[in-house]
């Protein structure tokens, strides 16, 4: 499903309103599936935003691991979880809007 995503954190830190307004949304196809995480040794739900236009399914953002739906209202959703950047896990929240 084609969506635009705004990330609400940077390396786990909440972005303030001015920072959020300055960042353009990321566009792509949202994919959510369960798969085994070798580092955690258990299955996790992963949310991915991929660029399907190039035909490569390359990730637009770091995937959201242990993804949970916080709320959904019409064509807007909020997903939370953690992202791995340079072998470190950081909390992340995505504001998702279907396009």
């Amino acid at each position: 499903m084609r969506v635009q995503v705004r990330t609400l954190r940077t390396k786990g830190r909440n972005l303030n309103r001015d920072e959020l307004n300055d960042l353009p949304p990321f566009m792509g196809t949202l994919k959510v599936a369960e798969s085994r995480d070798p580092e955690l040794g258990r299955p996790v739900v992963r949310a991915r935003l991929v660029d399907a236009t190039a035909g490569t399914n390359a990730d637009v953002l770091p995937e959201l691991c242990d993804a949970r739906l916080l709320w959904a209202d019409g064509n807007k959703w909020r997903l939370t979880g953690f992202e791995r950047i340079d072998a470190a896990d950081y909390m992340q929240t995505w504001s998702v809007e279907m396009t």
Side-chain angles (χ1 to χ4, degrees):
M1 121 186 10
R2 296 279 305 156
V3 298
Q4 64 179 16
V5 172
R6 291 185 186 274
T7 56
L8 303 184
R9 301 171 188 254
T10 296
K11 291 194 173 179
R13 180 186 63 83
N14 286 327
L15 297 173
N16 64 42
R17 187 169 305 278
D18 291 334
E19 290 172 312
L20 290 172
N21 290 335
D22 288 343
L23 294 175
F26 296 92
M27 306 293 288
T29 301
L30 179 66
K31 297 186 176 194
V32 179
E34 183 180 67
S35 65
R36 184 164 178 78
D37 187 310
E39 291 185 36
L40 296 176
R42 63 177 174 83
V44 298
V45 174
R46 298 177 192 273
R48 295 177 57 213
L49 184 67
V50 298
D51 180 6
T53 60
T56 61
N57 282 334
D59 287 314
V60 176
L61 293 169
E63 68 183 7
L64 199 59
C65 299
D66 256 355
R68 286 187 312 121
L69 178 66
L70 294 177
W71 60 264
D73 186 10
N75 67 339
K76 295 182 181 182
W77 310 332
R78 186 73 46 95
L79 295 172
T80 192
F82 67 90
E83 59 186 9
R84 283 201 178 109
I85 300 173
D86 299 327
D89 294 342
Y90 298 99
M91 291 304 299
Q92 182 57 272
T93 303
W94 289 359
S95 179
V96 180
E97 186 172 351
M98 286 193 305
T99 57

